[in-house]
Amino acid sequence: MSIATVKTEPIHGQKPGTSGLRKKTQVFMQRHYLENFVQAIFDAIGGAAGKTFVVGGDGRYFNDRAVQVILRMAAANGATKAIVGQGGILSTPAASHLIRLNKTDGGIILSASHNPGGPDEDFGIKFNMSNGGPAPESVTARMLEAANSMSEYRIHEGHDIDLSALGTHMVGDMSVEVIDPVADYADLMETLFDFDAIRAAIAGGIRIRFDAMCAVTGPYAVEILENRLGAPRGTVVNRQPLPDFGGLHPDPNPVWAKLLMDEMFGADAPDFGAASDGDGDRNMIVGPNTYVSPSDSLAVIAANAHLAKGYADGLKGVARSMPTSGAVDLVARAKGLDCFETPTGWKFFGNLMDAGRVSLCGEESFGTGSDHVREKDGLWAVLMWLNILAKREEGVADIMAAHFREYGRNYYSRHDFEGLDTAKAEALLSDLKGRMGDMPGLEIDGMTIASADIFKYEDPVDGSVSDNQGYRIVFGDGSRIVMRLSGTGTTGATLRVYLERYVPGPDGLNEDPQVALAPIISAARDLSGMAAHIGRTEPDVIT
Ligand code: G1P
Ligand code: ZN
């Protein structure tokens, strides 16, 4: 093997965020940029010598080049083996599964998730540990440290390997096994869900529309929904993964999956609609004329998971990120399950799952999943819903209505203010922080503030503390406002404002969330002073 040790210098700003390092693709394509960070990953995990890694990504622009570089660097750093999805493709949940299935030392996943792809859009890279989950903060901190003192990286000098050819290849002394990216994942799904029941429901006439948004889940959804479950060809639309996602913004929410929404709210809508994101870990669930908010989806899954064979014995416990609505808490209470509240980001669920404390986790940002892998999982949520529909023999709207009647409804919405000047967004929050101490007891828009604080999490498993995890203002009736800055953006700052109001029922369960939340929205504007700080009060994206 011919190893080059390349002199380099630290590159400013290689700080992993909520989910790995995300930057503009052009930034990643700069000389030494990718190489420095990959070396920092290997340094942060105590080297690559003798180790096996899973490598793959969501197929976005630069994915193919990056995979070749990573393989050559892994070889030069002494790794013995890499398992790579054919064409360099792996969805994030499939990568997590492969790490666990093959008991590898971790994996490198290339994705900027739901952010657009292309030469002028976004790229990203993250490391997942041997449990299949995203590296915890202690490890990402070491990556940053390593990146900030980087002086050289090692790379094997050789030719590209043919990633389209299944089988074993060599990169220097390292073997590379190119595998079908879908098969193992699809097999795992068959162990969790009642494919026979779903197949029967589809044969009986349930019509499904799955929008893969020209992203990585296309081949997975075609194999599972069409080939294995018998849905008609064409059930999966935008099924071909493209380097620029066909110009789409592969984020499964009502704004970016508008075509799906239009179909589901139009005449002769299918019985069930769903979409997934760039790397396949997010999901959106829609019924005819019925949008299911991710927080509600989590609660419905918690209430019905026992209908799926992999969860027939009940859940170990549930967890949600702090800004996610409390709908799942009500189900947990009714079922006597432990319910944990964690900071934003899937990495915080890993310890709870590894310790056997929870089996179901979710975030308001279209993320739902279980301990079958250590990532959120878009198709898993879709199959769980199909399993529930098949077993209950009810439609999405009926299931939601019954759920709200039983538990009450947590009206919920997230308002995103994008492309803000970072200093101004930070000033808004620090000003808010300064006033929080005086807020309890304050009356605003007819509501009284009960508490105001900044969320701090102490991991119940390893005791690690993560502070500054979001500003929250809670009212006497449990309604709340949460504010935090996004940790996944690549330009400027994004302020996320999360709004929640609980209505116990039986009346008032059927309102438009934006109407039901109007007083909370107005209080959020007033309390944050957003007009003065950022010069606007209307969000860019409402989900
Ligand atoms: C966003 C979501 C968060 C999710 C993350 C990765 O992070 O809000 O729930 O875990 O993407 O998919 P944010 O941009 O808010 O930091
Ligand atoms: Zn994603």
Side-chain angles (χ1 to χ4, degrees):
M1 173 157 67
S2 130
I3 298 175
T5 301
V6 181
K7 294 275 168 243
T8 182
E9 282 177 0
I11 301 177
H12 176 71
Q14 293 198 324
K15 182 180 192 317
T18 311
S19 186
L21 183 67
R22 283 198 200 158
K23 297 286 171 193
K24 287 288 166 207
T25 311
Q26 298 285 347
V27 172
F28 265 103
M29 291 172 73
Q30 282 166 23
R31 195 168 142 77
H32 300 324
Y33 195 94
L34 174 70
E35 291 84 348
N36 271 23
F37 191 69
V38 172
Q39 188 64 52
I41 291 176
F42 291 143
D43 293 352
I45 60 168
K51 293 184 177 171
T52 297
F53 299 107
V54 168
V55 182
D58 63 10
R60 68 181 60 224
Y61 187 85
F62 195 53
N63 187 104
D64 48 356
R65 295 301 322 135
V67 170
Q68 300 281 358
V69 168
I70 291 165
L71 292 177
R72 289 208 294 273
M73 289 187 64
N77 278 273
T80 16
K81 183 174 173 185
I83 299 171
V84 187
Q86 189 175 24
I89 300 282
L90 283 176
S91 78
T92 291
S96 181
H97 175 51
L98 286 169
I99 293 169
R100 297 166 65 77
L101 181 69
N102 296 288
K103 301 195 168 43
T104 72
D105 299 285
I108 295 181
I109 303 177
L110 304 165
S111 172
S113 187
H114 49 288
N115 294 7
D120 298 318
E121 299 293 353
D122 292 356
F123 193 77
I125 176 168
K126 68 172 176 171
F127 184 77
N128 281 28
M129 312 292 283
S130 59
N131 71 346
E137 282 186 338
S138 55
V139 178
T140 55
R142 285 207 295 274
M143 287 176 199
L144 177 62
E145 236 174 81
N148 282 344
S149 57
M150 189 59 54
S151 60
E152 58 185 39
Y153 61 81
R154 286 176 290 290
I155 188 160
H156 165 67
E157 291 179 314
H159 295 293
D160 283 359
I161 56 165
D162 180 5
L163 290 173
S164 68
L166 294 176
T168 305
H169 307 247
M170 292 306 288
V171 173
D173 299 335
M174 181 181 80
S175 71
V176 177
E177 198 184 332
V178 176
I179 59 156
D180 174 345
V182 176
D184 289 318
Y185 176 83
D187 291 349
L188 173 66
M189 293 299 116
E190 290 216 39
T191 68
L192 301 174
F193 300 111
D194 301 273
F195 273 40
D196 289 341
I198 302 174
R199 205 177 287 120
I202 292 173
I206 285 196
R207 287 180 306 144
I208 304 170
R209 171 70 68 236
F210 182 88
D211 190 342
M213 305 190 87
C214 300
V216 80
T217 45
Y220 294 85
V222 168
E223 171 63 13
I224 294 171
L225 299 177
E226 298 186 6
N227 299 347
R228 298 198 187 191
L229 289 169
R233 197 179 151 78
T235 294
V236 180
V237 294
N238 292 320
R239 57 205 279 148
Q240 176 68 39
L242 298 171
D244 66 347
F245 306 121
L248 296 174
H249 189 147
D251 196 359
N253 65 42
V255 178
W256 297 116
K258 188 171 180 311
L259 282 182
L260 176 70
M261 291 300 281
D262 288 349
E263 187 176 5
M264 297 307 297
F265 280 76
D268 195 31
D271 301 291
F272 179 78
S276 193
D277 74 329
D279 62 330
D281 57 358
R282 293 187 173 200
N283 76 92
M284 178 174 75
I285 303 295
V286 210
N289 290 308
T290 310
Y291 163 68
V292 181
S293 88
S295 296
D296 288 339
S297 173
L298 178 66
V300 168
I301 291 175
N304 293 281
H306 60 278
L307 299 175
K309 69 179 179 195
Y311 306 87
D313 296 339
L315 301 171
K316 292 173 188 149
V318 298
R320 63 165 171 84
S321 67
M322 183 276 281
T324 303
S325 98
V328 72
D329 304 33
L330 302 175
V331 177
R333 195 175 309 149
K335 289 188 174 277
L337 296 172
D338 281 343
C339 180
F340 296 88
E341 187 178 39
T342 59
T344 295
W346 206 261
K347 60 187 172 217
F348 293 101
F349 295 135
N351 276 349
L352 293 169
M353 290 194 270
D354 286 348
R357 308 274 292 264
V358 302
S359 36
L360 174 70
C361 305
E363 292 194 275
E364 51 66 41
S365 51
F366 301 84
T368 332
S370 87
D371 55 359
H372 66 291
V373 290
R374 291 294 181 275
E375 289 278 3
K376 56 193 178 240
D377 188 344
L379 267 166
W380 174 90
V382 170
L383 291 167
M384 176 63 94
W385 265 91
L386 285 172
N387 203 140
I388 293 170
L389 292 180
K391 284 291 174 79
R392 287 183 57 141
E393 299 184 0
E394 279 179 296
V396 176
D398 292 337
I399 289 176
M400 294 315 297
H403 188 90
F404 294 150
R405 275 198 306 276
E406 185 168 354
Y407 295 99
R409 179 166 181 181
N410 295 67
Y411 283 100
Y412 186 83
S413 185
R414 184 176 103 184
H415 290 194
D416 290 335
F417 298 80
E418 298 177 342
L420 303 179
D421 181 276
T422 305
K424 287 184 182 167
E426 281 169 357
L428 180 150
L429 290 180
S430 67
D431 173 32
L432 186 66
K433 183 177 174 182
R435 289 180 288 114
M436 276 184 146
D438 298 330
M439 282 188 185
L442 200 77
E443 197 165 304
I444 180 159
D445 296 317
M447 306 177 301
T448 309
I449 297 178
S451 67
D453 67 358
I454 299 177
F455 181 56
K456 175 174 165 181
Y457 179 65
E458 189 178 329
D459 188 303
V461 180
D462 66 15
S464 61
V465 173
S466 306
D467 44 26
N468 203 17
Q469 295 295 331
Y471 294 64
R472 48 183 186 183
I473 300 168
V474 183
F475 296 93
D477 67 351
S479 299
R480 12 171 240 169
I481 299 165
V482 173
M483 292 190 202
R484 57 179 283 280
L485 295 183
S486 158
T488 58
T490 55
T491 31
T494 294
L495 174 68
R496 305 206 192 284
V497 183
Y498 311 80
L499 308 141
E500 177 175 0
R501 190 182 138 218
Y502 179 65
V503 175
D507 299 322
L509 295 176
N510 243 330
E511 283 185 53
D512 172 349
Q514 301 307 318
V515 175
L517 290 166
I520 318 287
I521 295 171
S522 144
R525 280 179 193 164
D526 295 347
L527 288 168
S528 67
M530 60 172 76
H533 281 290
I534 57 172
R536 45 193 280 216
T537 54
E538 290 304 322
D540 299 283
V541 178
I542 296 181
T543 51

